[in-house]
C-alpha cells in the first residue's frame, strides 16, 4: 500500500507552490490549459520508460505523471470543484464497479469476457452521465488523443455494437483495396485533399488490421520508429567510418549498410 504520509507530503508541496502568499510565480500562473501539454508529455515519457525497460526511469516518470494529477486536482480544489481525495474516490468506485467478478458475484472466466463487460459498463456509464441517455456510440472519444489511439478506440466502440468484420480476411482485403486507391491517385492529376483522404483511409484500415491481430497500433508504430532510428544510426556510423556523408551520391552504400543493419539484433 502507498505510504499515506508521502502522498500527504506531495499534496502539501503542491499547495505551497500554489499559495498566493509566497508560492512559485510560475506555478501560480498555470491553468488547466497551460498544464495540459506537460501532462501529455509526461504520459509519453512513461511510455518511453516502459519501452526502454528501465524500471528506474519508469519510477521517475510515474512520479512526474503523478505530479500532473496533483497539479490539476489542486487547481480544481482552489475553484471549489473537487480535490485529490475525490479523484481517488472516483477511481476506486469505478474499479470496483467494473470488476464485479472480483468484488462481487459475477462470473467472468477469462480476459475476453472481462473486456466485453468492461466495454458494456463504460457504455452504461456514458448513458448514465448527464445528457448521456441519447448519446451516440462514438460520443466521448477524446479528439485530443493521438490519431492512431483514437482510431483504435473508435473501432472498438463500433465493434462493441456489432459493426465489425466477421473474419480477418476481410480486413486484409480492405487494406489492399485502400492501398490500390492510394496508387490510383498517382495515375492521374488529383486534388491534394483526395490523396489525404485516401492515405487516411489506408492508415485507418491498417489500424483495424492491427486491432484484429491483437496488436496496439500506436505501440507498433513507436517500435518501428525506434527500429528505424537504430538502423539509420548504423548506416551513418558505417558511412562515417568510410569517410562519407549521407546523400544521394552514396545511395548504394547506404542501401548495403541498411541491409546489414537489418541483420543485427
Amino acid at each position: 500500500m502507498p505510504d499515506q504520509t508521502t502522498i500527504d507530503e506531495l499534496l502539501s508541496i503542491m499547495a505551497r507552490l500554489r499559495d498566493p502568499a509566497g508560492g512559485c510565480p510560475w506555478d501560480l500562473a498555470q491553468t488547466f490549459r497551460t498544464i495540459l501539454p506537460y501532462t501529455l508529455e509526461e504520459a509519453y515519457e512513461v511510455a518511453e520508460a516502459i519501452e526502454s525497460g528501465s524500471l528506474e526511469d519508469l519510477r521517475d516518470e510515474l512520479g512526474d505523471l503523478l505530479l500532473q494529477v496533483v497539479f490539476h486536482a489542486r487547481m480544481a480544489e482552489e475553484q471549489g470543484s473537487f480535490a485529490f481525495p475525490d479523484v481517488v474516490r472516483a477511481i476506486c468506485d469505478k474499479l470496483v464497479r467494473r470488476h464485479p467478478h472480483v468484488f462481487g458475484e459475477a462470473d467472468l472466466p477469462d480476459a475476453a469476457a472481462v473486456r466485453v463487460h468492461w466495454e458494456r459498463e463504460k457504455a452504461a456509464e456514458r448513458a448514465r452521465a448527464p445528457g448521456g441517455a441519447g448519446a451516440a456510440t462514438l460520443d466521448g472519444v477524446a479528439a485530443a488523443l493521438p490519431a492512431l489511439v483514437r482510431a483504435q478506440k473508435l473501432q472498438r466502440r463500433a465493434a462493441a455494437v456489432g459493426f465489425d468484420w466477421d473474419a480477418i480476411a476481410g480486413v486484409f482485403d480492405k487494406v489492399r483495396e485502400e492501398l490500390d486507391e492510394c496508387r490510383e491517385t498517382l495515375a492521374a492529376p488529383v486534388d491534394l485533399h483526395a490523396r489525404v483522404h485516401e492515405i487516411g483511409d489506408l492508415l485507418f484500415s491498417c489500424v483495424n488490421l492491427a486491432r484484429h491481430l491483437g496488436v496496439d497500433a500506436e505501440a507498433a508504430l513507436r517500435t518501428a520508429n525506434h527500429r528505424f532510428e537504430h538502423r539509420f544510426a548504423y548506416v551513418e556510423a558505417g558511412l562515417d567510418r568510410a569517410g562519407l556523408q549521407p546523400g544521394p551520391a552514396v545511395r548504394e552504400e547506404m542501401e548495403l549498410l541498411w541491409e546489414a543493419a537489418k541483420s543485427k539484433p
Side-chain angles (χ1 to χ4, degrees):
M1 293 294 291
D3 182 342
Q4 187 61 43
T5 302
T6 303
I7 296 295
D8 288 343
E9 182 180 0
L10 177 57
L11 295 172
S12 177
I13 291 172
M14 191 71 252
R16 177 74 181 275
L17 291 172
R18 290 279 299 180
D19 187 348
C24 172
W26 186 89
D27 289 279
L28 284 166
Q30 302 313 305
T31 66
F32 296 114
R33 287 188 178 275
T34 62
I35 285 296
L36 176 57
Y38 299 99
T39 306
L40 295 173
E41 179 182 334
E42 297 301 348
Y44 281 116
E45 290 183 358
V46 167
E48 183 72 21
I50 292 171
E51 290 174 354
S52 75
S54 171
L55 292 180
E56 183 176 350
D57 288 348
L58 178 59
R59 177 202 62 199
D60 292 344
E61 297 303 342
L62 286 173
D64 291 343
L65 185 58
L66 176 59
L67 172 61
Q68 297 300 307
V69 176
V70 169
F71 207 138
H72 284 287
R74 178 64 196 181
M75 290 187 291
E77 183 177 4
E78 291 167 359
Q79 297 179 15
S81 179
F82 61 84
F84 184 78
D86 301 307
V87 175
V88 176
R89 179 74 271 154
I91 189 58
C92 287
D93 290 345
K94 184 181 294 183
L95 286 171
V96 171
R97 185 171 62 249
R98 291 185 179 179
H99 292 83
H101 54 300
V102 176
F103 302 102
E105 302 299 324
D107 181 21
L108 300 176
D110 53 37
V114 171
R115 165 60 72 179
V116 170
H117 170 80
W118 185 277
E119 294 298 335
R120 286 175 179 169
E121 180 58 34
K122 288 200 295 185
E125 290 169 5
R126 291 193 297 271
R128 290 194 297 267
T137 300
L138 303 182
D139 285 354
V141 179
L145 287 171
L148 290 181
V149 176
R150 190 163 193 265
Q152 291 175 137
K153 291 181 73 70
L154 291 170
Q155 291 170 6
R156 283 201 301 267
R157 287 274 190 94
V161 295
F163 190 72
D164 201 4
W165 297 92
D166 293 327
I168 196 171
V171 186
F172 277 107
D173 290 341
K174 185 63 176 176
V175 172
R176 293 189 190 95
E177 175 189 326
E178 298 299 348
L179 184 59
D180 288 341
E181 291 180 3
C182 286
R183 186 178 290 112
E184 288 170 7
T185 67
L186 298 175
V190 296
D191 184 87
L192 177 60
H193 294 293
R195 281 194 179 144
V196 171
H197 177 86
E198 296 301 343
I199 287 291
D201 287 348
L202 174 61
L203 292 172
F204 194 83
S205 64
C206 287
V207 171
N208 210 1
L209 177 60
R211 181 176 64 86
H212 277 265
L213 289 171
V215 172
D216 181 275
E218 182 76 15
L221 185 55
R222 283 201 305 269
T223 300
N225 289 340
H226 290 315
R227 191 164 57 245
F228 181 86
E229 288 176 309
H230 178 75
R231 290 175 178 174
F232 197 77
Y234 181 93
V235 170
E236 289 190 309
L239 291 175
D240 185 65
R241 287 192 298 271
L244 301 173
Q245 294 292 324
V250 294
R251 175 66 178 272
E252 184 176 346
E253 289 86 348
M254 294 172 72
E255 292 287 353
L256 290 172
L257 286 165
W258 179 263
E259 290 302 319
K262 287 169 62 177
S263 67
K264 300 293 181 181

